[in-house]
Amino acid sequence: MKSKHCNVRSELQNIGKQWVSNLPKHWQADRIKDVCENVVGGGTPKSSISEYWDEGEIVWMSPTDFSKQKGERLITDSEKKITQLGMEKSSATLIPEGTIVMSSRASIGEPKIAGKEITTNQGFISFITGHKVDNLFLFYCIEGHLGEYFSKIASGTTFMEISRRMAKQEPIPLPPLPEQKAIAEYLDKACARIDRIIAIKEEQLGRIEGYLNNKISQFVTLGLDMNDPAVETNCLWIPKIKKGWEILPLKRLLAEKLKYGANESAEDENSEDPRYIRITDFGNDGKLKDDTFKSLPPEIAEPYLLNDGDVLFARSGATVGKTFIFKNYAGAACFAGYLIKANTQRYKLLPEFLYYFTKSKAYEEWKNLIFTQATIQNIGADKYQYLRMTAPKIDEQERIVKAIEFLKEKVDSLSEKIFDQIDTLKDYRKSLIHECVTGKKQVYTGKIKKEKEVHA
């Protein structure tokens, strides 16, 4: 009897074959290894041997470089470079300009193009095209179908990966070379137009987010009415406040001392046990994700249980300084050791007001000052407790929180519509690429038409 895993793999392989079926009758299909001049991997010279790295001039692409250049098609530079000797003493291979470089590990299936001679580490597969396949046509084959397919059939124990051996075996549609070039040229222009619209939409999102952040900063330091009188302060990150307000250290507004979370490894996923909250469990919308559930046994979680309105500060790592407010969660939950819990005196400081203060420019300025005084980015309870913040009367805090949440609801609604538009554009872009490289839409001298009937 076949296992479920085998059945899934078989289905995926059928998907891989289906995409080269029903091609125009004058097209062919062939394996990548048979149409490319070479398919190579990468390598890493020994980091302990300085001669492999010092004063190196050969671009050596790593996943870090790849992710930093997201949205850019050409690879022309890297943070680290290797020497000729480093390349010769490792599996790194010098690949020519125009080679299609595809990530085989993180972001599996994402393609870029070598803008000059480069090398890569072992996290990439590089397709050196010859006279049978146009490099841009192959790029679009990967972007329009193969990249996502490779991500689905990837396997591994330590990390997921698509092997060079598997990638080489996959077939691609193969129209005559002039038609490949025409398709690539058409897609370059069509995708550029779509990308420009997406960029405009993303700029709109940035302006909307900036508007909201500016309003939050204004409300929590100067109040709701810009015409209200303001006074200067001696606080570096809050130069002005509304007249009549105070600036107080956070510790004077807390119901208890700031508390660190549980230093335990959460492996239990029992939904009956308290949820173990980590920084990665919160989405960009400030809400808990549904697909990252981990838990701790009740006897371990009990001292670290959260109450509605607790504010969590990240004290270390890449997310240091980020904050979240724990609200409206149906079950019991505790929090991780690299988070700090703040429980406010509600008659002095609303937790929502504290949370929104940490979204202001004043808080960002405070973080930057803290970081300049430390060798590593780490903000512990000893620093958070002395965070000086505005402390208007509770009734005014309530009005400010209500105004921010009303504005945020409007902004979120508008942003959601723009996100939907961007997703639609991206889906259309991918569909367009797929239809062009499979001949469902035929390209002739830059013009496009729907083929009424496609023959095998």
Side-chain angles (χ1 to χ4, degrees), residues 343-362:
N343 176 20
T344 67
Q345 298 183 62
R346 305 297 172 94
Y347 67 94
K348 288 185 178 180
L349 176 63
L350 294 177
E352 294 85 0
F353 187 87
L354 169 59
Y355 173 69
Y356 286 124
F357 182 83
T358 66
K359 303 302 175 185
S360 69
K361 292 178 182 177

Side-chain angles (χ1 to χ4, degrees), residues 94-108:
L94 191 64
I95 56 177
E97 180 180 351
T99 298
I100 308 303
V101 180
M102 186 190 78
S103 176
S104 60
R105 292 181 181 175
S107 301
I108 296 171

Side-chain angles (χ1 to χ4, degrees), residues 405-422:
E405 291 183 344
F406 176 80
L407 182 61
K408 189 174 182 298
E409 185 177 342
K410 297 292 184 184
V411 166
D412 288 347
S413 176
L414 180 57
S415 296
E416 187 176 349
K417 290 177 182 176
I418 297 175
F419 275 121
D420 288 343
Q421 292 169 359
I422 291 173

Side-chain angles (χ1 to χ4, degrees), residues 33-291:
K33 74 171 191 172
D34 295 322
V35 298
C36 283
E37 190 175 286
N38 204 357
V39 180
V40 301
T44 303
K46 285 187 178 180
S47 58
S48 59
I49 302 179
S50 60
E51 289 84 357
Y52 296 168
W53 301 91
D54 291 353
E55 299 181 9
E57 295 182 350
I58 302 172
V59 172
W60 179 77
M61 178 64 48
S62 71
T64 301
D65 298 310
F66 209 70
S67 60
K68 284 181 179 177
Q69 297 178 30
K70 199 165 188 69
E72 298 178 21
R73 189 161 80 172
L74 289 182
I75 300 168
T76 57
D77 201 6
S78 61
E79 184 178 340
K80 294 181 179 180
K81 295 180 175 64
I82 60 174
T83 63
Q84 181 68 30
L85 183 62
M87 184 177 67
E88 292 171 358
K89 296 294 184 179
S90 71
S91 299
T93 303
L94 191 64
I95 56 177
E97 180 180 351
T99 298
I100 308 303
V101 180
M102 186 190 78
S103 176
S104 60
R105 292 181 181 175
S107 301
I108 296 171
E110 183 179 347
K112 292 186 186 294
I113 302 172
K116 59 189 291 187
E117 285 189 328
I118 68 167
T119 62
T120 75
N121 79 354
Q122 53 272 40
F124 301 92
I125 300 172
S126 297
F127 305 95
I128 303 172
T129 56
H131 63 278
K132 292 183 179 180
V133 61
D134 179 72
N135 68 329
L136 283 178
F137 180 80
L138 178 58
F139 174 87
Y140 282 119
C141 283
I142 295 172
E143 190 171 46
H145 174 82
L146 279 178
E148 185 176 347
Y149 173 65
F150 285 150
S151 181
K152 289 178 180 178
I153 65 172
S155 60
T157 52
T158 307
F159 48 79
M160 301 299 285
E161 181 176 20
I162 179 72
S163 70
R164 184 157 50 106
R165 180 186 60 81
M166 290 179 68
K168 288 165 62 174
Q169 299 295 330
E170 289 303 323
I172 63 166
L174 204 65
L177 195 59
E179 196 166 347
Q180 292 180 38
K181 293 181 180 294
I183 290 169
E185 182 182 352
Y186 168 79
L187 286 173
D188 273 351
K189 293 176 181 177
C191 290
R193 287 194 295 270
I194 297 169
D195 291 342
R196 280 196 296 271
I197 299 171
I198 290 173
I200 291 169
K201 296 293 180 184
E202 289 173 341
E203 285 176 8
Q204 290 175 347
L205 286 173
R207 288 197 296 271
I208 291 168
E209 183 179 353
Y211 172 78
L212 177 62
N213 291 340
N214 286 336
K215 282 297 183 182
I216 290 174
S217 296
Q218 173 198 318
F219 291 167
V220 299
T221 57
L222 298 169
L224 296 176
D225 190 345
M226 285 296 289
N227 294 319
D228 287 341
V231 294
E232 294 185 353
T233 76
N234 62 355
C235 181
L236 289 175
W237 51 93
I238 314 175
K240 288 184 179 181
I241 59 170
K242 181 179 174 180
K243 189 175 181 179
W245 285 16
E246 288 185 285
I247 294 179
L248 298 173
L250 180 59
K251 72 173 188 174
R252 288 181 54 184
L253 303 167
L254 298 175
E256 58 185 10
K257 287 184 177 181
L258 294 171
K259 185 172 183 177
Y260 292 104
N263 286 312
E264 302 288 340
S265 297
E267 298 179 357
D268 183 17
E269 298 184 20
N270 186 351
S271 60
E272 300 296 319
D273 291 340
R275 179 169 183 172
Y276 185 62
I277 303 293
R278 300 151 297 168
I279 208 80
T280 52
D281 292 330
F282 291 90
N284 293 330
D285 57 359
K287 297 178 182 177
L288 282 170
K289 298 176 183 176
D290 294 327
D291 58 350

